[in-house]
C-alpha cells in the first residue's frame, strides 16, 4: 500500500488485523489486554508471532491509531520479561515461546533451541520500536542479542557440520559442537540443501548498522558503541572505540 496507494492492499491489511484480533488466535487482543505472557497465548511460535506484531507497527504507521503501537509496546515488554534469555534469544523448546527466562536453566534443553530466526526477528521488532519511540532500551535489547546470540551463531570456525553454513540455526546454552541441526531444512537440488537461519542471519548483521545513529527532535542519538563514522546533517560524526 505504501508503494502503490492501492486501497485493496490497505483493506487486506485491515482484514488481517481484525482476523488476528477476533479469531481463536487473538494475539493482538491478548497483547492489548496485557494479562498473559506470550508463552501463554494459544499459539507460541516465536518468530512468526513477532513478525505479526512487526506488521501491526507498519499498519500503525499508515493509520496513526495509537492503540496499535501501544499494543506492540506491551507485547515486547512481556516477551523481554518472560522469554528473552541470557544471550538475547528466545525459544528453549524448539522455536516456541516457553517461558525461556526460566526454562533456559533446564539441562534437558540441549539442542533444538534458541533459533537464529528468533534472534533476528526480535532484533527487527525492537528496531521498529527504537525508530518509532526513540527509547534507548530497544537499542539495548538489540545490542544484547547482536553481541551474544547472533555473533555467537556466526560460523567463524568454518565448521563443516550440516553444510558449513555461515550461521548456525540453534544456540543451545550447553557446550557442544556447532551446526548440529538445520532450521527450516529444505532440499533445493540433488545433494544440496538450505535453511531459513542461513538466510535471515545476514539481515541481523545489518540491523545494528542501520540503527547505529538515528535522528531525533533534539539532534542525533548514538545507539551503540561501535567504531565508525557517519555524515549527519552536514557534519561528520566519528566514533573511535575498541569496544567490546
Amino acid at each position: 500500500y505504501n508503494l502503490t496507494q492501492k486501497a485493496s492492499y490497505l483493506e487486506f491489511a485491515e482484514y488481517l488485523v481484525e482476523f488476528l484480533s477476533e479469531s481463536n488466535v487473538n494475539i493482538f487482543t491478548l497483547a492489548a489486554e496485557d494479562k498473559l505472557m506470550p508463552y501463554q497465548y494459544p499459539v507460541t511460535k516465536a518468530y512468526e508471532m513477532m513478525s505479526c506484531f512487526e506488521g501491526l507497527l507498519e499498519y500503525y504507521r499508515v493509520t496513526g491509531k495509537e492503540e496499535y503501537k501501544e499494543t506492540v509496546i506491551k507485547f515486547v515488554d512481556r516477551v523481554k520479561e518472560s522469554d528473552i534469555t541470557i544471550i538475547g534469544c528466545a525459544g528453549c523448546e524448539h522455536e516456541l515461546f516457553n517461558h525461556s527466562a526460566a526454562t533456559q536453566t533446564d539441562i534437558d534443553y540441549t539442542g533444538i533451541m534458541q533459533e537464529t530466526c528468533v534472534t533476528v526477528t526480535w532484533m527487527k521488532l525492537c528496531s521498529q520500536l527504537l525508530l518509532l519511540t526513540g527509547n534507548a532500551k530497544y537499542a539495548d535489547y538489540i545490542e544484547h542479542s547482536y553481541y551474544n546470540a547472533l555473533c555467537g551463531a556466526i560460523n567463524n570456525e568454518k565448521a563443516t557440520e550440516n553444510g558449513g553454513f555461515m550461521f548456525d540455526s540453534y544456540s543451545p546454552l550447553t557446550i557442544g559442537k556447532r551446526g548440529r541441526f538445520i532450521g527450516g531444512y529444505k532440499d533445493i537440488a540433488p545433494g544440496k540443501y538450505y535453511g531459513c537461519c542461513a538466510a535471515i542471519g545476514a539481515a541481523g548483521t545489518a540491523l545494528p548498522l542501520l540503527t547505529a545513529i538515528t535522528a531525533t527532535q533534539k539532534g542525533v542519538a548514538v545507539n551503540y558503541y561501535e567504531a565508525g563514522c557517519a555524515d549527519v546533517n552536514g557534519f561528520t560524526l566519528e566514533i573511535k572505540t575498541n569496544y567490546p
Side-chain angles (χ1 to χ4, degrees), residues 55-73:
L56 188 62
L57 280 182
E58 294 290 358
Y59 190 62
Y60 157 75
R61 290 177 189 273
V62 173
T63 63
K65 295 181 179 179
E66 286 294 318
E67 63 264 31
Y68 296 136
K69 182 177 74 173
E70 293 305 315
T71 294
V72 181
I73 289 173

Side-chain angles (χ1 to χ4, degrees), residues 150-230:
L150 186 61
C151 285
I154 298 175
N155 184 9
N156 292 317
E157 303 160 7
K158 298 182 180 180
T160 58
E161 282 88 357
N162 289 329
F165 290 131
M166 177 59 72
F167 294 92
D168 289 351
S169 290
Y170 299 100
S171 297
L173 296 177
T174 55
I175 294 174
K177 69 179 183 179
R178 305 199 69 121
R180 287 176 285 182
F181 305 98
I182 297 177
Y185 178 93
K186 292 292 181 183
D187 288 309
I188 58 174
K192 296 182 179 181
Y193 48 87
Y194 210 63
C196 51
C197 300
I200 198 172
T205 60
L207 273 173
L209 299 176
L210 295 172
T211 55
I213 298 172
T214 51
T216 72
Q217 291 181 336
K218 296 180 179 179
V220 173
V222 179
N223 295 313
Y224 315 111
Y225 295 104
E226 283 282 359
C229 62

